[in-house]
């Protein structure tokens, strides 16, 4: 697609439920990143994919968080047994190692997660 | 370990005053440098970048940044800010290696321009 697409744009869930967030990167972008941004805060790195592998998942805050990427395209971030502190905007970005906009991170609009 | 440090979490400044947002990185390999901006209630977008060539790069709205390899810095400057420059600014570094490439972001600096 023309840009990075994230779905849903908003998600309200009850504490303890599992949620799945989706990211469709720009076609051909090999690198994909997930970040968390709490209200009024900066970017918190969660995980980085190069192709379908995740060489750096050091930012995942707990074993309730997991992510996968398939076909060097779509990625899903899953949060199990959600807690109120998980409330935040989850941002996805993708980038390419070649071509126009090389190494530039293109961000989606984010998924706003609210745990009640 | 590679890292990006933005030394100021918040910078309040009066309209038409100059501003500098500081960014330092640690890396022993070649880097590519970026500044991104996030206006209130909007997504992150590229402000300017350094890939090669002239170490001074400019944006279309009057910001500039200079790559200083010896000081491992990429500070962002504007000689006269506007109210509309109020936003959060993120410095980012892309590292390349045999395993591919990876971008690391700083924590961000919130610029607040006062009338």
């Amino acid at each position: 697609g023309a840009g990075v697409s994230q779905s849903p744009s908003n998600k309200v869930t009850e504490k303890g439920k599992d949620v799945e967030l989706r990211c469709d990167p720009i076609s051909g972008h090999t690198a994909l990143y997930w970040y968390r941004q709490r209200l009024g805060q900066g970017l918190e790195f969660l995980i980085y994919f190069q192709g379908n592998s995740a060489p750096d998942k050091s930012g995942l805050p707990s074993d309730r968080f997991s992510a996968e990427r398939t076909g060097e395209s779509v990625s899903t971030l899953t949060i199990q047994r959600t807690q109120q502190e998980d409330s935040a905007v989850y941002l996805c970005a993708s980038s390419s190692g070649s071509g126009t906009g090389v190494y530039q991170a293109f961000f989606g609009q984010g998924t706003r997660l609210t745990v009640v | 370990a590679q890292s990006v440090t933005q030394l100021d979490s918040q910078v309040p400044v009066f309209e038409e005053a100059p501003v500098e947002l500081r960014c330092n990185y640690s890396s022993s390999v070649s880097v590519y440098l970026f500044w991104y901006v996030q206006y209130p209630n909007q997504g992150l977008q590229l402000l300017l970048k350094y890939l090669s060539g002239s170490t001074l790069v400019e944006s279309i709205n009057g910001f500039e940044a200079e790559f200083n390899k010896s000081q491992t810095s990429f500070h962002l400057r504007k000689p006269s800010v506007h109210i509309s420059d109020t936003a959060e600014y993120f410095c980012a570094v892309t590292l390349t290696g045999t395993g591919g490439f990876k971008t690391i972001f700083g924590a961000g600096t919130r610029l607040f321009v006062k009338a």
Side-chain angles (χ1 to χ4, degrees), chain B residues 21-55:
Chain B
L21 307 184
R22 295 177 291 170
C23 174
N24 287 86
Y25 65 91
S26 63
S27 173
S28 58
V29 300
S30 295
V31 297
Y32 304 91
L33 301 158
F34 302 81
W35 277 97
Y36 292 83
V37 60
Q38 185 178 33
Y39 296 106
N41 300 313
Q42 294 188 29
L44 276 88
Q45 56 188 281
L46 180 70
L47 182 63
L48 49 74
K49 63 184 177 184
Y50 168 79
L51 299 180
S52 64
S54 172
T55 56

Side-chain angles (χ1 to χ4, degrees), chain B residues 4-6 22-25 33-36 73-75 89-93 103-109:
Chain B
V4 178
T5 302
Q6 292 185 243
R22 295 177 291 170
C23 174
N24 287 86
Y25 65 91
L33 301 158
F34 302 81
W35 277 97
Y36 292 83
S73 68
F74 192 54
H75 301 330
Y89 293 80
F90 296 92
C91 180
V93 172
T103 297
I104 302 172
F105 277 81
T109 296

Side-chain angles (χ1 to χ4, degrees), chain A residues 46-68:
Chain A
L46 297 178
I47 188 169
Y48 151 67
F49 288 93
Q50 186 64 247
N52 291 337
S53 64
D56 187 352
K57 55 180 78 171
S58 62
L60 294 177
S62 75
D63 59 6
R64 297 187 296 106
F65 287 72
S66 63
E68 65 175 16

Side-chain angles (χ1 to χ4, degrees), chain A residues 30-31 33 35 37 40 42-43 48 50 56 95-97 102-105 107, chain B residues 32 34 36 38 43-44 46 51 88 90 94 96 99 101-103 105 107 110:
Chain A
T30 57
Y33 305 81
Y35 297 92
Q37 189 173 34
L43 293 178
Y48 151 67
Q50 186 64 247
D56 187 352
S95 61
S96 171
V102 64
Y103 302 136
Q104 178 184 342
F107 282 83
Chain B
Y32 304 91
F34 302 81
Y36 292 83
Q38 185 178 33
L44 276 88
L46 180 70
L51 299 180
E88 184 137 23
F90 296 92
T94 296
T96 61
F101 62 95
K102 179 185 177 184
T103 297
F105 277 81
R110 187 171 299 273

